[in-house]
Amino acid sequence: MRRKHFAFVAALGALVLLAGIAASVTHGKSEKGKQTAAPSGTVTLAGWSVSTVESALLKQVIKGFERKYPRIKVDYSALGDYDRAMLAKFSARQPPDVFYVDSNRAPTWIKQGVLEPLDSYIKKAKFPVSPFYSKLMDAFRVKGKAFRVKGKVSARKIYGFPKDWSPLGMQINTEMLAKAGIKAPTTWAQLRSAAQRLKSRNAVPNGKPICLAADWARILAFVYQNKGSFLNASKTKATVDTPAVKGAIDFYLSLMKADLLDIPAKLGSDWCGEALGKEKAAIIFEGNWLVPYMVEKFPDVGYKTFPMVKGKQQGNVAYTVAYGIGRNSKNKEAAFTLLSYLVGKVGMKTWTSKGLALPSRKDVKPVAGRAAFLKAAPYARPWQFAAGFDKVMTVAGNEFSAVVEGKQTVSAMLKKIQDEANATLRRGG
Amino acid sequence: MARSGRGLGSERVREALVGYAFIVIPMFSFLVFSIYPLFYALYISRYEWGILGKIEPLGLENYRELLRDDLFGKAVKNTLLYTAVVVPCQMALGLGMAVIVNQALRFRTFFRAAFYFPSLASSAAITAIAIFILSSDGLLNSLLGTDRAWFADSDTALPSIMGLNIWTTSGTMMLFYLASLQSISTDVYEAAAIDGARTWRTFWKITFPLLKPGHFFVLVVSVIGSLQLFDQAFIASGGGGGPNYATTTMVLYLFQTTVQDFRFGYGAALGVALFVLIFTLTLIQRLLFGRTEAA
């Protein structure tokens, strides 16, 4: 008797399951039927949003696009928890047509085959690549076949166009700077003496002269300044376990040991921008994102942005986000039309008009007061490693925090990161 | 006697059908969303598996990597340490509170609600508030007169999460214990009172041993919950499991592997390892508590 009941339940379950499968199969078929040749129809656009002002700006750009291309309608949505949301859409093979691609995510997304190579579209539309800052483009290019666009040879596959970017700058509280009676430092040695002066004059009574997180996303700028790097140029080997990298870390630790620098958590802050706002630090190293933050949260704190200090050479990290197209996009022609407008001269001008982001095109001028950032454009290297490097960076971050706590030596940390990075590179992500 | 055997059977069949009709939907979702993924994870764990599916078969390589993986070792160590501290504390606190609110106190309902209250708040919200309270210029430090950044220090990050979870979940444990306490017959207590047993002795000799099924249930729920620690560790460390790996738990590492690095095969192997760990520990608990009492 029991067995019969079970068979009944099992049969019912199987029936429901089958119905579900049948429904999904027919659904898939009807999707495939809708193919359009000319760029028209609806294009879905997805990204994340930091503020309502930013969303409004993007909607303004989209309106401009729809006026120019009345046959294409744009369906824009700002996704929360972006990476996770995109993962779900990619694996369902229903990605948005056009979407944000963070430089740091790009290698993994490219390797996993979810991004569409744009070369043929670029060629067809004769869309010029040269106005974009070359270092930023590099974050979205990988080795591929050479092709010509407007007479210029592009030797690599392009998976996205940067929509904006920011390097790090050096922000200093102007009042504290005046109290210490010094000029903004331009070299490592000057940075140390400026911090000493700020300390001896008690210019930062509630904090430390410098706020700098034990974070590779900040320290890497100093590594570059010290002629070091994380990976070799072809991204086939780790170069972390080298004297140049050790020198940058040692410089950081020596400032910390001399009581001239601290991490934001020790200054009662989530990040150094907050420490600057709370007047718990005089000198911080942040990007253009600090500007709207300070206007909104700490409008009364006077500060100025200077170019990043220089070590053996100029060095900086470029944070950039591109627009890419999903390989499983259903309307790629129209998607590229939208993409080329968003990163085009007109679209980018509107997008960067309020100074929330810096233009990634040389032919679009940023709003006033951003000169200190733009100086880094020729040498700032994109915040990017290789496919599958999230774990390496997790290890790197944890090791770094152990070093700051005095529970790990710099050499042991660098060796560990080097081994982890090489293992990931060998595995290919 | 008048009823025939057949008639009895058909009534039983009807009753059974109604019963199965009630469970068919939960059973279906259990099969589709729990049992099927479980076996699918076993399958995936033998492949290199990306966002768009299968990349290449690896056999047992993912499991071999697991044994070599330093970070996995750290995650297991942290998770077990967390479980070893949190489970006894949760049980003791839950039992203590249950015994208190089981007495004929004034405002008994108020205390029951108050003790249970922390369990209602979402762990994400509580962790977010804890970040403020435990920050270097937060409430706790002003009370203690220190300036420790509790979550940013590898010595205190995990203990902070332990404290947080002991506080929030002991209310649920109290509820389980309360139900068990109320199932103990008052006759036993009356007999003990006649024999002249004092409160303390009554608790240790009567209440505590008679709660054995309750202990087993609370222990299993608490151990499973502790081994699955994720949200607090994720939020407090910003997803990195730091500082110095202090908040890297097994589930957090699983999350990092799958959702950030898209290594679904390796992530599935991690999940299987977690399953084996939970299953073994539950089996041991069952053996310790004996089979009959556990039922």
Side-chain angles (χ1 to χ4, degrees):
Chain A
M1 199 65 79
R2 286 234 166 115
R3 269 167 98 184
K4 261 188 193 162
H5 291 169
F6 179 73
F8 170 72
V9 172
L12 199 69
L15 209 70
V16 178
L17 197 71
L18 270 175
I21 291 168
S24 67
V25 167
T26 45
H27 179 71
K29 261 185 192 159
S30 68
E31 286 275 329
K32 259 181 203 162
K34 285 188 285 181
Q35 281 276 342
T36 37
S40 65
T42 301
V43 175
T44 51
L45 171 67
W48 60 81
S49 175
V50 182
S51 65
T52 45
V53 187
E54 198 194 80
S55 301
L57 261 178
L58 186 53
K59 280 174 192 157
Q60 195 184 325
V61 181
I62 294 168
K63 249 186 207 146
F65 170 79
E66 285 177 330
R67 261 197 304 275
K68 197 173 168 194
Y69 299 92
R71 288 173 51 123
I72 303 176
K73 207 188 148 296
V74 181
D75 181 6
Y76 165 68
S77 53
L79 304 175
D81 200 5
Y82 187 74
D83 283 357
R84 258 69 80 194
M86 288 304 287
L87 170 61
K89 285 167 190 289
F90 284 139
S91 37
R93 281 138 177 98
Q94 307 223 324
D97 297 309
V98 183
F99 50 85
Y100 287 12
V101 183
D102 188 284
S103 62
N104 197 32
R105 291 263 75 152
T108 305
W109 282 8
I110 291 170
K111 192 210 156 205
Q112 298 262 346
V114 294
L115 295 182
E116 174 79 3
L118 303 177
D119 309 33
S120 58
Y121 305 93
I122 296 167
K123 219 158 126 182
K124 203 171 152 194
K126 295 199 168 61
F127 185 72
V129 181
S130 51
F132 293 88
Y133 291 113
S134 164
K135 284 268 194 273
L136 302 181
M137 276 309 295
D138 284 347
F140 309 100
R141 279 194 283 222
V142 292
K143 272 198 188 93
K145 253 175 105 180
F147 64 95
R148 276 169 180 279
V149 177
K150 286 196 174 169
K152 292 211 165 142
V153 179
S154 179
R156 282 171 286 182
K157 264 196 172 141
I158 295 174
Y159 285 92
F161 283 94
K163 69 180 184 75
D164 53 32
W165 75 296
S166 177
L168 296 174
M170 177 174 63
Q171 289 82 11
I172 307 183
N173 182 310
T174 36
E175 210 174 298
M176 293 172 180
L177 192 69
K179 198 173 171 194
I182 44 170
K183 281 200 301 188
T186 58
T187 63
W188 284 20
Q190 285 177 15
L191 178 65
R192 185 191 297 275
S193 59
Q196 277 162 346
R197 219 20 206 277
L198 282 160
K199 192 184 167 208
S200 64
R201 295 265 176 113
N202 198 25
V204 200
N206 299 318
K208 294 280 163 70
I210 305 170
C211 175
L212 186 56
D215 183 349
W216 287 93
R218 296 289 170 278
I219 206 72
L220 205 55
F222 293 87
V223 167
Y224 293 151
Q225 287 157 20
N226 206 35
K227 292 191 169 173
S229 62
F230 207 95
L231 299 176
N232 63 356
S234 55
K235 294 188 177 176
T236 50
K237 267 211 163 74
T239 51
V240 182
D241 197 7
T242 49
V245 179
K246 189 171 184 296
I249 306 279
D250 285 342
F251 175 62
Y252 175 83
L253 293 173
S254 74
L255 291 175
M256 185 175 266
K257 215 169 174 187
D259 220 19
L260 302 172
L261 174 154
D262 222 327
I263 57 172
K266 291 274 176 71
L267 299 169
S269 308
D270 273 348
W271 64 300
C272 288
E274 192 182 340
L276 181 76
K278 287 180 169 175
E279 304 192 311
K280 291 191 169 193
I283 305 175
I284 66 165
F285 304 92
E286 294 293 337
N288 187 62
W289 52 85
L290 179 80
V291 183
Y293 172 82
M294 290 298 282
V295 170
E296 195 198 324
K297 295 273 169 89
F298 302 102
D300 301 329
V301 176
Y303 76 97
K304 197 168 178 258
T305 298
F306 299 91
M308 198 71 182
V309 286
K310 192 181 153 193
K312 288 176 186 157
Q313 64 177 14
Q314 300 277 16
N316 210 325
V317 184
Y319 297 91
T320 183
V321 174
Y323 278 115
I325 293 179
R327 178 160 286 178
N328 285 314
S329 156
K330 306 254 167 5
N331 200 354
K332 288 175 191 160
E333 294 285 336
F336 188 77
T337 313
L338 172 63
L339 186 150
S340 57
Y341 181 86
L342 292 171
V343 298
K345 206 175 165 182
V346 181
M348 193 174 291
K349 202 166 178 189
T350 313
W351 172 242
T352 56
S353 61
K354 291 205 173 150
L356 300 182
L358 300 176
S360 47
R361 292 175 70 103
K362 289 171 231 162
D363 52 2
V364 177
K365 292 275 158 286
V367 294
R370 302 299 202 274
F373 287 125
L374 278 196
K375 280 193 180 133
Y379 55 82
R381 295 185 225 178
W383 173 243
Q384 183 180 72
F385 304 94
F389 252 57
D390 259 285
K391 186 185 169 194
V392 181
M393 295 323 287
T394 300
V395 168
N398 275 300
E399 290 291 324
F400 201 172
S401 64
V403 165
V404 165
E405 286 188 353
K407 290 181 177 167
Q408 173 71 298
T409 65
V410 178
S411 313
M413 161 180 83
L414 295 179
K415 179 159 190 323
K416 192 133 190 224
I417 302 172
Q418 173 101 351
D419 291 346
E420 190 69 47
N422 280 334
T424 305
L425 290 170
R426 267 198 304 275
R427 201 178 59 225
Chain B
M1 291 303 123
R3 279 185 174 175
S4 74
R6 255 180 109 191
L8 186 76
S10 71
E11 192 164 314
R12 280 179 79 183
V13 167
R14 205 166 48 228
E15 202 172 277
L17 273 181
V18 172
Y20 282 122
F22 273 116
I23 65 158
V24 67
I25 292 172
M27 196 62 201
F28 175 72
S29 64
F30 175 66
L31 285 174
V32 171
F33 297 111
S34 300
I35 298 298
Y36 167 68
L38 193 96
F39 285 99
Y40 199 53
L42 269 175
Y43 171 68
I44 287 181
S45 72
R46 294 172 55 250
Y47 287 89
E48 188 188 345
W49 198 283
I51 306 180
L52 298 176
K54 213 180 282 184
I55 297 172
E56 65 172 316
L58 292 177
L60 292 174
E61 182 49 39
N62 280 330
Y63 291 96
R64 256 176 252 134
E65 186 180 339
L66 216 54
L67 296 176
R68 294 191 304 261
D69 191 343
D70 242 17
L71 209 51
F72 175 66
K74 284 188 166 109
V76 172
K77 195 184 123 235
N78 284 335
T79 310
L80 290 179
L81 178 68
Y82 173 86
T83 308
V85 173
V86 168
V87 171
C89 291
Q90 260 178 0
M91 290 180 75
L93 206 61
L95 180 59
M97 294 195 303
V99 169
I100 291 169
V101 299
N102 197 35
Q103 284 159 13
L105 290 171
R106 221 188 251 230
F107 307 120
R108 186 167 76 167
T109 331
F110 168 77
F111 283 114
R112 280 187 187 175
F115 288 160
Y116 185 61
F117 210 66
S119 308
L120 293 175
S122 95
S123 56
I126 287 196
T127 315
I129 294 166
I131 288 173
F132 282 108
I133 296 175
L134 300 181
S135 80
S136 70
D137 58 357
L139 185 65
L140 184 67
N141 281 318
S142 18
L143 288 175
L144 297 175
T146 52
D147 65 343
R148 190 182 270 274
W150 296 82
F151 278 136
D153 187 322
S154 64
D155 291 330
T156 54
L158 193 61
S160 299
I161 297 175
M162 288 173 179
L164 205 61
N165 273 11
I166 290 169
W167 169 59
T168 52
T169 43
S170 53
T172 312
M173 303 307 154
M174 174 195 80
L175 214 61
F176 296 148
Y177 268 128
L178 198 57
S180 292
L181 275 175
Q182 288 175 349
S183 69
I184 299 177
S185 159
T186 47
D187 300 355
V188 218
Y189 290 109
E190 276 166 21
I194 290 166
D195 288 344
R198 297 284 176 94
T199 324
W200 195 238
R201 208 176 148 86
T202 311
F203 175 76
W204 281 114
K205 294 285 175 184
I206 297 176
T207 315
F208 197 77
L210 281 178
L211 278 176
K212 205 169 171 186
H215 290 316
F216 174 73
F217 181 72
V218 172
L219 181 68
V220 169
V221 168
S222 176
V223 166
I224 291 177
S226 299
L227 291 176
Q228 292 178 337
L229 172 69
F230 169 72
D231 19 6
Q232 291 86 351
F234 178 76
I235 297 167
S237 69
N244 192 12
Y245 311 102
T247 59
T248 302
T249 67
M250 286 179 75
V251 183
L252 179 59
Y253 185 44
L254 197 162
F255 175 87
Q256 289 169 346
T257 309
T258 50
V259 176
Q260 291 174 353
D261 273 337
F262 303 137
R263 296 187 65 207
F264 294 95
Y266 191 55
L270 271 163
V272 170
L274 181 63
F275 169 76
V276 169
L277 184 66
I278 292 180
F279 195 75
T280 316
L281 285 179
T282 310
L283 221 58
I284 292 172
Q285 289 161 28
R286 210 179 149 84
L287 288 174
L288 281 179
F289 276 79
R291 299 195 64 172
T292 41
E293 281 88 351

